[in-house]
Amino acid sequence: ADAYNPRRDDTASKIVVSNAEIVKYGDTNVLDVLKRLPGVTVSGGSVRMRGLGAGYTQFLVNGERPPSGFSLESLAPDSIERIEVMRAASAEFSTQSIAGTVNIVLKKLVSKASRELKLAAVVSRGHVSPSANLQLSDKVGNMSYTVSLAASQGKFEQDAPEVEETFDLAGRRIALRASSARNAGTNQGMNVGPRLSWTFANGDTLSWNSFANMHRFDMTSQRRTHTSEGTSVPLPDSDSRMANDMEYYRTDLNWIRKLAGGARLDIKGGATYSRNSGETRRLAYNPQGVTALNSINITDAEETGYSTTGKYSKPIGEGHAFAAGWDGG
C-alpha cells in the first residue's frame, strides 16, 4: 500500500493533490487552490475543465454530488484531505459529466494525535478578513476521533466600470455609454467535521462521519450609466441588495466486515439535509431620477436525501478479484 501512487498506477487519468500541497501556499479559499491545478480553470466562482462549466464539469464532495446552492468558497482548505481531478469516466463515480470530475475528499484518517490551531487574516482595500481553523485528533483504546472546525469572515469592496460602444453596419458609432458600479459586501462561513472510528479485535471497523457547512453572503450594489451619444437606456441608474444563506448537513455510518479467504464487505448508509434561501431587492430609476422599478425576488429551497452503498469483494486466483455491490438513494 505504501508503494501505491494514484497518479501513476490508476487506470483512469487522474491527478491527486494531497493536503500538504493544498495548504502549502496559505490559501483560505478552495477556489484559489483549484486555480493552480492543471486542467482546471475558475471563472467567477465556477469550476471548469476543458473550458466547460456547469452541467459539463462534475463537482463532488466525498464522491457525492452536493446540493444545489452549495458554495465552494465556504469550504476551508485545511478540512480537505485531498482533491482528485479525473479527466475520464470511472465506474466508481457518477459519469454525469463530459469535461471531467473534481472530487474533494474531506479529512477522515487519524495518523497521530494532534492539536492544531491556525489563525490568518487578509487585508484588501483597508478591510480585514480574519479566519481560524482548529484540528483535533487522537486515539483512545480502539476508538479514534477527529474534529475539524473552520470559521471565516470577509469584507470586500470593488469598482466595476464599463464602456459600451454601438456601431451600425457602415461602421459609424451610433451610441456611447459609460457606466460605473460599486459593489460592497460581507461573507461569513463555518464548517464542522466530527468523525469517530472503532476498530474491533476481529479486524472489523465502524465509523461515523458527519459534516456541517454554513455560509452567508450579503452585497449592495450601486450602478450609474451615462449616455453621451445615442438613445439613453430606459433605467440608467439602480441600487440593489442581495443576501443569501446556505446550510448543508451530512452524516453517514460505514461498517467494514472482513470475511474468510480475504473477502470483504463494505456497507455505508447516509443522510443529507440542505437549505438555500436568498433575497434580492432592486430599485431602478428613469433618466429623470424617478423610481420606475421596485422589485423583490425571494427564493427558498430545501433538500433532503438518503443513500446507501455496499460492496463485496473476494480475491480469485493470482492477481484477480471478484467484486459486486449496490448504490442507491
Side-chain angles (χ1 to χ4, degrees):
D2 294 337
Y4 171 67
N5 186 328
R7 186 178 297 190
R8 184 188 63 218
D9 298 337
D10 271 7
T11 55
S13 175
K14 179 192 293 187
I15 293 176
V16 180
V17 183
S18 65
N19 179 261
E21 294 178 77
I22 293 171
V23 302
K24 183 177 181 179
Y25 297 96
D27 295 315
T28 58
N29 191 316
V30 175
L31 293 179
D32 292 331
V33 177
L34 294 174
K35 288 176 182 177
R36 284 194 297 271
L37 299 185
V40 178
T41 58
V42 178
S43 176
S46 173
V47 179
R48 299 167 177 257
M49 294 179 66
R50 308 181 199 268
L52 301 173
Y56 297 96
T57 296
Q58 181 173 238
F59 167 68
L60 305 174
V61 177
N62 284 343
E64 299 187 13
R65 297 174 71 91
S68 57
F70 184 83
S71 174
L72 274 174
E73 297 179 73
S74 61
L75 277 179
D78 284 290
S79 65
I80 299 173
E81 181 179 309
R82 66 183 185 276
I83 299 176
E84 301 172 341
V85 180
M86 291 160 280
R87 298 190 182 94
S90 168
E92 186 178 357
F93 301 111
S94 168
T95 56
Q96 300 178 45
S97 60
I98 295 175
T101 299
V102 177
N103 182 33
I104 294 182
V105 181
L106 302 177
K107 279 188 175 178
K108 295 180 181 180
L109 302 177
V110 179
S111 56
K112 60 181 179 180
S114 68
R115 307 284 188 277
E116 186 178 271
L117 174 65
K118 289 184 180 180
L119 302 175
V122 176
V123 180
S124 174
R125 300 188 70 169
H127 298 297
V128 180
S129 301
S131 63
N133 187 279
L134 176 66
Q135 299 280 341
L136 303 175
S137 61
D138 203 353
K139 292 184 178 181
V140 180
N142 68 338
M143 184 198 76
S144 62
Y145 68 86
T146 300
V147 179
S148 63
L149 173 64
S152 63
Q153 178 172 341
K155 292 184 179 181
F156 64 90
E157 191 176 310
Q158 56 188 200
D159 296 316
E162 292 182 7
V163 175
E164 179 185 355
E165 293 181 278
T166 305
F167 302 87
D168 62 15
L169 293 178
R172 294 185 299 268
R173 188 172 67 187
I174 58 175
L176 175 62
R177 301 183 185 94
S179 63
S180 61
R182 184 171 184 82
N183 305 323
T186 61
N187 57 73
Q188 297 94 30
M190 183 175 73
N191 356 304
V192 182
R195 174 180 168 85
L196 299 175
S197 180
W198 294 266
T199 302
F200 303 103
N202 60 356
D204 291 1
T205 61
L206 179 67
S207 60
W208 171 73
N209 187 35
S210 294
F211 180 70
N213 178 273
M214 289 76 72
H215 184 249
R216 177 171 176 79
F217 177 81
D218 197 319
M219 183 182 76
T220 59
S221 179
Q222 297 176 326
R223 176 170 288 277
R224 303 292 181 262
T225 303
H226 173 70
T227 302
S228 54
E229 293 181 30
T231 306
S232 175
V233 293
L235 303 174
D237 302 333
S238 65
D239 298 321
S240 61
R241 178 177 181 267
M242 182 175 67
N244 181 263
D245 286 282
M246 193 278 294
E247 302 173 43
Y248 173 59
Y249 307 96
R250 173 165 185 83
T251 184
D252 59 59
L253 199 63
N254 187 199
W255 176 53
I256 299 177
R257 169 75 168 167
K258 293 188 176 180
L259 305 173
R264 171 173 152 150
L265 182 63
D266 188 339
I267 301 174
K268 183 170 75 171
T272 61
Y273 171 79
S274 69
R275 181 176 180 180
N276 188 21
S277 59
E279 181 177 306
T280 302
R281 295 174 177 261
R282 184 169 181 253
L283 289 172
Y285 314 97
N286 62 20
Q288 290 74 40
V290 179
T291 302
L293 176 68
N294 185 350
S295 68
I296 301 175
N297 186 8
I298 298 174
T299 60
D300 193 12
E302 282 188 274
E303 186 176 323
T304 304
Y306 305 94
S307 64
T308 174
T309 60
K311 180 180 178 181
Y312 171 81
S313 59
K314 178 179 175 60
I316 299 177
E318 184 66 27
H320 297 278
F322 167 80
W326 71 88
D327 185 346

